[in-house]
Each structure stands twice: as structure tokens, then as C-alpha cells.
Amino acid sequence: MMATPPILDVPQEVIDTAAALIREGSVVAFPTETVYGLGADALDPDAVAKIFEMKGRPADNPLIVHVSDRSMLNRVVASIPPEAEPLMQRFWPGPLTIIMEKGDAVPGITTGGRGDVAIRMPDHPVALRLIAAAGVPIAAPSANRSGRPSPTSAAHVLEDFPGLMVIDGGETRHGLESTVISLAGTPALLRLGAVTLEQLREVIPGIEVRTKAAAGEAPQSPGQKYRHYAPSVPMRLFTDIEALKEEARKHHDATILCKEGHVEELSGLDARVISLGKDEEEFGRNIYAALRSTKEGILLVLGVERRGIGSAIMDRLERAAHGPPQ
Ligand code: TXA
Ligand code: MG
């Protein structure tokens, strides 16, 4: 298990070919620092329609628009709210998606019919080169079929979309999606992600946290209401190691996922024990690949502490497991 996976070198011809496909209205998968994206020209409604169709994504679930520079940002928003400036300074390029008022150039299909648009400038040389070469902002959800774990390698993308053109940039660095915040109204955190709440509070101390829709309330981010990240086998999430052990004793085909530090304690069980890494950063990088690769038996996952990147990890694990930990 490598500390930080290397970014593969991608020849300019590959970037140019992919950029030409984007300009023609086709769909191309590409790496970012978070997960792989399924990209199309964000300003071309027919191209964007292909993304929704390929993913099997509900039409009301808006896409993130990826830009490579500030002038492209200006083309897709109506105006830039003052709070955005320090956030962009600190976190762009990087895994922070900012929702602002939509510019007229962006078709309604891209934003799921909404008047605001989610924007991010990815911190990945291949993604930035692709967007710049295409010369248009690229709408891209994670490059998985709806409901499946997000792809952190080119091979994962091909599992879900055989035959698709995917630019292979190697394994993604964060392995968890971007943090999504809205500045379209009162500043609010809508999705936990690779930028932590603690980091955001250093810039906007009073940011509201609306990552889970309150009962009876419409979710702020449509993505909140759909099932996500589901492995192909049953999965249960634990924060109590004794409860996990007790469950593991009931099975002979369990796969246990945990941090390195717990492997020894769990190794006496009749189960396959897999370390996802020594810390939360590595855990986050490896979790989706582990959810994808377990294809038999039952998955028992020992969660992490809800601080820093651990909060985003627990959010994804709860969605994958369909409920809070035991
Ligand atoms: O790291 C990432 O963000 C990756 C890479 C490819 O950039 N993309 C990604 O996209 O995770 P996706 O579509 O899987 O998740 C985007 C989330 C969804 O939950 C969606 O509902 C929300 O962002 N979203 C997008 N536009 C929005 C908007 N205008 N208002 C509220 N939520 C929005
Ligand atoms: Mg997704």
C-alpha cells in the first residue's frame, strides 16, 4: 500500500483526443484528485443528457461543472459571491465544490433544473489539461453507475462502463469526493468530503451544516436522498469492536475492513481481515476499492472517528451500509 499513489504521465495526444471527443459532444472518463469523473461539455444539453442516461441518474440530481481557470468560472456563474473569494484562494484547485447562482450559458439539464450551479477546479494535472484543451467547462459526476461505489482507478470505471474512453491517470489521491458547499443562500455545507469541516471553519466560522436532510424537509442537495456507494454484498458498519467480533463469529465468509491498528486484534476470527491503511487518509483512499472488490459473503466494517476526513468516511460508510453504526 503506497503512501500517495503516483500520477501517471498522460501523453498530449491522449489529452487532445479526449478533448476533441468532449467538443464533439461525447462522454469521456478522466481522473481527478478525488475520484474519476464521467465528463461531457457542460454547456451542451445533448452531451449532458448522455451522462444521465449512461449513469442511470435521476434527472433532478445536478452535476458538478469543472473549470480549469477563473475566466471559465466567469462563463458559468451569474455572479461570484464575496464569501467565495477566500474559499477559492485557499482550496482551489482542490476538492471543494462551491454552489453559486447559475449563468445563462449553463443549460438547465446540467443543474437538474436548478437556478444555481456547482463548480469546482480540480487539483489534478490531467483533469486541468483536459478541460483547458477542450476549452469548455466539463460537467462530471463520479464515473460509476448510480448507486455503486465511486471509481478510484481507471479499471473501476471500465467495470461499470466497458468500452468507454477513460484517461488512465493512476489511482486517485483522496479516494473520496469533493466537499460541497452552497453560497447560493446562507453559506452551508451540503456534502462532507475531502476538504474537512474544520478546514472550512477556518475560512467561514459560522458555516451551517446541512449534510443530512431534516425529517420532512426537502434535501438541500438532491444527491442526499439517493442510495449510494452500495457494495454487491450485505454490509454492516460498527464503531464498537466487540460488537463487530460478535457478528463475525456468526459467519464463516465475512470480510472485515479496518484500520491497520486493529488487524491483530481481529485476526483470530474465522474471517478475512483487510487493513485499509494506517490512518484516515489511507482509509479514505482505499475504501471504495474495498467495497467494490468484496464480491462474496458479508462485509463488516469497523468505522473511524468522526473528525477531520473521518467525518466524510463515516458519511459514506453509513450510506453504503444503509444506516448508522452499531
Ligand atoms: O469529487 C467530486 O466531486 C467528483 C469529481 C468527479 O469531481 N464528482 C462528484 O459528482 O462526486 P457527483 O455527481 O457524484 O456528486 C455531486 C453532488 C451530488 O450529491 C449532487 O446532488 C450535488 O453534488 N450537487 C450538484 N450540483 C448541485 C446544486 N446546484 N445544488 C445542490 N447540490 C448539487
Ligand atoms: Mg457520485
Side-chain angles (χ1 to χ4, degrees):
M1 203 172 295
M2 228 167 302
T4 305
I7 292 174
L8 297 185
D9 186 41
V10 176
Q12 193 56 37
E13 303 90 81
V14 174
I15 300 281
D16 291 340
T17 304
L21 284 168
I22 296 278
R23 274 197 306 274
E24 270 166 30
S26 294
V27 173
V28 170
F30 64 98
T32 79
E33 79 281 32
T34 58
V35 300
Y36 275 71
L38 190 62
D41 179 351
L43 309 183
D44 177 348
D46 296 329
V48 171
K50 291 177 191 165
I51 294 179
F52 281 93
E53 198 191 307
M54 284 175 70
K55 277 195 65 125
R57 184 177 178 104
D60 69 348
N61 196 359
L63 304 180
I64 296 172
V65 172
H66 297 70
V67 299
S68 54
D69 57 36
R70 284 293 190 100
S71 69
M72 217 178 246
L73 167 68
N74 293 331
R75 282 161 65 191
V76 294
V77 297
S79 62
I80 296 177
E83 301 95 326
E85 205 51 57
L87 290 167
M88 294 189 292
Q89 289 279 349
R90 166 119 186 233
F91 299 110
W92 279 13
L96 180 68
T97 295
I98 307 176
I99 297 169
M100 308 184 211
E101 208 185 311
K102 183 177 91 61
D104 292 336
V106 182
I109 185 172
T110 303
T111 63
R114 300 173 64 94
D116 51 29
V117 60
I119 323 277
R120 129 174 157 83
M121 190 185 290
D123 184 19
H124 194 292
V126 173
L128 291 172
R129 283 164 69 202
L130 175 67
I131 302 163
V136 290
I138 296 184
S142 50
N144 51 278
R145 284 188 194 279
S146 276
R148 300 254 300 144
S150 299
T152 57
S153 72
H156 295 163
V157 178
L158 291 172
E159 257 175 38
D160 283 14
F161 302 107
L164 179 70
M165 176 169 185
V166 41
I167 307 178
D168 189 352
E171 279 173 45
T172 57
R173 185 164 81 241
H174 294 293
L176 295 171
E177 299 85 345
S178 64
T179 301
V180 178
I181 64 164
S182 177
L183 297 182
T186 313
L189 171 68
L190 304 188
R191 178 175 76 176
L192 292 157
V195 168
T196 67
L197 178 57
E198 293 87 338
Q199 290 173 319
L200 281 174
R201 282 191 170 138
E202 288 168 17
V203 183
I204 306 189
I207 191 161
E208 272 182 43
V209 178
R210 293 203 223 126
T211 52
K212 286 205 178 96
E217 222 178 75
Q220 294 290 312
S221 174
Q224 288 177 351
K225 65 177 188 257
Y226 297 112
R227 178 89 204 271
H228 274 108
Y229 321 114
S232 55
V233 300
M235 166 180 164
R236 296 183 64 180
L237 176 60
F238 298 84
T239 43
D240 175 9
I241 193 163
E242 294 306 325
L244 183 147
K245 284 188 197 164
E246 199 181 310
E247 183 63 30
R249 287 189 200 103
K250 299 181 195 155
H251 305 272
H252 59 274
D253 57 358
T255 298
I256 299 174
L257 307 179
C258 62
K259 280 208 300 195
E260 185 92 49
H262 294 295
V263 169
E264 209 183 299
E265 180 170 358
L266 295 169
S267 63
L269 296 160
D270 178 20
R272 192 164 69 119
V273 182
I274 299 178
S275 162
L276 292 187
K278 66 176 185 313
D279 56 23
E280 274 68 15
E281 213 175 299
E282 290 185 359
F283 196 110
R285 188 179 297 145
N286 295 317
I287 185 65
Y288 287 145
L291 294 184
R292 270 181 184 266
S293 67
T294 307
K295 291 179 173 142
E296 279 169 20
I298 183 168
L299 254 176
L300 307 177
V301 183
L302 186 59
V304 297
E305 273 189 63
R306 284 176 215 262
R307 59 157 189 261
I309 196 70
S311 303
I313 292 171
M314 289 303 284
D315 169 77
R316 303 307 191 269
L317 289 174
E318 288 188 344
R319 290 172 199 271
H322 229 7
Q326 288 175 280

